[in-house]
Amino acid sequence: ITDRPSIGFNLMDKTGLVEYVLPALAKLKGIETVDGRGHKDNFSHTLQVVDNVCADEKLKISEGKLHDFIPLEDGNGFEERVRTEPCLWLRWAALLHDITKKADYEKQLNYCAEFGIILTIGEDTSAEVLHSLTGAGVAARDFADYVDEGIVTAIARHTTGDADMSVFDAIIYLADYIEETRTFEGCRALRSIFWDRIECGEDRREVLRDAMIKSFDMTIEHLIEKGSVIDLKTVGARNSCVAGKLFPDE
């Protein structure tokens, strides 16, 4: 399994194959600007998120720091094993996380009606938040052979976070937040600090929590400056990180 899936997808894009192999991904192409906080092509952004996930996982595997818990055949408990191969589920979650990002607000609301998504205050006025919820629904509907509940949940949480995020959720969230096509100053600084600390061998959970707290802080500060509603899931996710309650036993 390749360490940089983006190479293959870019080759498929150049030859016109991506529109036949994964048309939903091809539809993401196009430059986006959100409140002056960066310019990105959603197709390139998605591929960079996939590469980010792969790079972090490769390093952890090489250090023997990734563990899987395999259900026992008799159903009584799990067997812990050191992971030696990449996790395809992470790659699918990264690949599909923005699958409805190009849908307009009306289409997002139609998706919500289709999937029975009940919106909270803030979600009902923010297309930026809606795409994560509707993306989870589309992933479950259109890619049922390739996704499980964990992938669907990670997609739903990749924009706002949540108070009970798993390590899987957090990896997808942060891989999206600090990927390299995001150019606003705070993101560039956070990206640099995160990878510097990882390369220095610091405890990965601590580095992950610190980076997530900083990302939530920047998001909340930005929304306050705009006079926008702050999603309570973001507040809950930040509080869980600060209290040390996020994925404590994973």
Side-chain angles (χ1 to χ4, degrees), residues 169-227:
D169 298 336
I171 290 172
I172 297 301
Y173 168 87
L174 195 64
D176 171 67
Y177 196 96
I178 65 172
E179 69 85 16
E180 293 185 2
T181 67
R182 296 192 188 274
T183 58
F184 65 94
E185 183 178 350
C187 179
R188 291 198 301 267
L190 179 58
R191 181 167 57 235
S192 177
I193 292 171
F194 175 81
W195 288 114
D196 284 348
R197 291 183 64 185
I198 290 293
E199 291 175 4
C200 288
E202 293 189 40
D203 181 83
R204 290 178 175 275
R205 291 183 187 178
E206 184 176 338
V207 175
L208 182 59
R209 285 195 185 97
D210 288 349
M212 292 180 69
I213 290 170
K214 183 62 177 177
S215 73
F216 293 137
D217 287 349
M218 288 192 291
T219 296
I220 291 170
E221 288 170 4
H222 177 67
L223 292 172
I224 290 174
E225 289 174 359
K226 288 174 57 183

Side-chain angles (χ1 to χ4, degrees), residues 130-147:
L130 283 181
H131 87 274
S132 59
L133 303 175
T134 60
V138 168
R141 183 193 68 188
D142 295 350
F143 299 90
D145 291 337
Y146 307 101
V147 305

Side-chain angles (χ1 to χ4, degrees), residues 32 34 98 100-109 112 119 122-135 158-159 226:
E32 177 193 35
V34 180
D98 268 353
T100 59
K101 189 66 180 286
K102 298 286 282 187
D104 60 23
Y105 184 66
E106 182 177 356
K107 180 64 174 176
Q108 298 282 5
L109 291 180
C112 288
L119 302 177
E123 291 176 343
D124 56 351
T125 59
S126 173
E128 180 70 15
V129 173
L130 283 181
H131 87 274
S132 59
L133 303 175
T134 60
H158 86 267
T159 299
K226 288 174 57 183

